Amino acid sequence: MPRDRFGREIDYLRISVIDHCNLRCVYCMPLRGLTFVPSAELLTAAEIEQVARAAVSVGFRKFRLTGGEPTLRPDLVEIVQRIAAIDGVSGVALTTNAILLPRLARPLREAGLTRVNIHVDTLHPERIKHLMRFASAPEIEAGIAAAAEAGLLPIKVNCVVTRGYNEEDVVDLARRARHDGWHLRFIELMPLGGGETAHVALSQFVPTRETRARIEAAFGPLEPLPRESPSDESVNHRFTDGAPGVIGFISPVSEPYCGACNRMRLTADGKFHLCLLNDDELDVKKTLRGGGSLEDVAAILLKAVAAKPTGHRLDEGVSTESRQMFQIGG
Ligand code: SAM
Ligand code: SF4
């Protein structure tokens, strides 16, 4: 397994397959002034497979597809199939807003998808319109139901807590987690890209301790669960009254977990992005399109691992300036 210069074992590749999205969450994508990677510049399914094969050859095991909205990619099922078929891959997961899952959940599952994380910031019909902008409650519910019917269980839900939009709705989401056994994770806002969305992230930030206090006030104390793995970014809890469901907190700002980072990221336009909250990148597309071998691609990936920064410097006001979240994938 590749280790970086700080001894961290890096075995998890998050692949952004597209930067388009059918929603415009206020902290992720501005409504105006967007430019997208032209289709010809997106890595193809075969190129993504080549990177995944190179990654497995040096010890990567876990893969996640993200975006933008990955389900907008017409060949997403093929991409899952290609990665899942590689010997040595222990899992292919997907992060999605679920809107298109009613037609895709089953084919994705059959192609080898092992897990799905569904992004739901609120279940309140009006506040969905304000926060996620082009989604609706029935569409989100249909996506969640489709994931469950396809056997993509347990339902894992990600909620980004944003002051003035959904900070009170965390209680309703937790209630739903108790009812339906969801693994629900609350994520702290991160400022990326320096523009309008970074401004939202900074001005509407809600710390984990506040979200946790709201949930404990409603349902009693939460009890920490053992970490699934040392690199798990989510600190998970169960309810102490025996209700099902898991409540996790991902706190990159108030409790950074960079020391346990096991990730590398591949952008949709073919760059290894070394740390979510830094600008450093290494191009791999030129090598892929210039007839480079698997060994050449693996060498770039190892170089990217070796160059990973120690951690983020949000407390010094430093973040990635060159990309917004939809251009990296979370
Ligand atoms: N479209 C998919 C989705 O929403 O799940 C995949 C891409 S999205 C960029 C991945 C995750 O990043 C989502 O859970 C989203 O809520 C989260 N996210 C986006 N912008 C964020 C920000 N500024 N801070 C924290 N999380 C953010
Ligand atoms: Fe789209 Fe996901 Fe960003 Fe929302 S968080 S705008 S669904 S990419």
Side-chain angles (χ1 to χ4, degrees), residues 304-324:
V305 167
K308 254 180 88 64
T310 351
H312 71 63
R313 294 191 292 144
L314 288 179
D315 55 347
E316 297 166 40
V318 177
S319 182
T320 182
E321 293 294 324
S322 59
R323 290 182 188 266
Q324 307 194 44

Side-chain angles (χ1 to χ4, degrees), residues 27-28 66-70 95-97 119 158 160 187-190 325 329-330:
Y27 48 73
C28 181
T66 177
E69 178 44 46
T95 301
T96 174
N97 61 35
H119 165 201
N158 292 344
V160 177
I187 305 174
E188 282 180 346
L189 271 174
M190 290 169 268
M325 192 64 110

Side-chain angles (χ1 to χ4, degrees), residues 206-326:
V206 180
T208 283
R209 64 170 185 291
E210 186 180 321
T211 300
R212 180 180 177 142
R214 279 201 173 88
I215 291 168
E216 292 195 315
F219 305 113
L222 292 169
E223 185 180 291
L225 288 165
R227 275 185 189 260
E228 277 173 25
S229 80
S231 55
D232 193 358
E233 65 198 338
S234 176
V235 182
N236 293 331
H237 299 76
R238 68 177 187 83
F239 296 102
T240 41
D241 64 358
V246 172
I247 301 293
F249 298 102
I250 301 180
S251 319
V253 179
S254 66
E255 284 170 49
Y257 38 80
C258 304
C261 181
N262 67 339
R263 287 131 202 259
M264 180 52 64
R265 294 175 169 84
L266 176 65
T267 63
D269 57 348
K271 311 263 198 310
F272 288 121
H273 189 91
L274 311 193
C275 158
L276 179 60
L277 297 165
N278 281 282
D279 275 327
D280 314 343
E281 295 189 339
L282 275 182
D283 186 280
V284 67
K285 190 168 69 186
K286 230 179 278 157
T287 303
L288 289 165
R289 298 206 170 164
S293 65
L294 206 70
E295 290 72 28
D296 296 331
V297 174
I300 297 173
L301 176 53
L302 288 177
K303 209 164 146 193
V305 167
K308 254 180 88 64
T310 351
H312 71 63
R313 294 191 292 144
L314 288 179
D315 55 347
E316 297 166 40
V318 177
S319 182
T320 182
E321 293 294 324
S322 59
R323 290 182 188 266
Q324 307 194 44
M325 192 64 110
F326 72 94

Side-chain angles (χ1 to χ4, degrees), residues 18-30 66-70 95-99 119 121 131-133 160 325-327 329:
I18 192 165
D19 58 349
H20 275 275
C21 187
N22 42 0
L23 306 187
R24 291 288 184 275
C25 302
V26 292
Y27 48 73
C28 181
M29 278 179 102
T66 177
E69 178 44 46
T95 301
T96 174
N97 61 35
I99 304 292
H119 165 201
D121 289 335
L131 187 47
M132 302 172 83
R133 297 201 271 221
V160 177
M325 192 64 110
F326 72 94
Q327 295 163 318

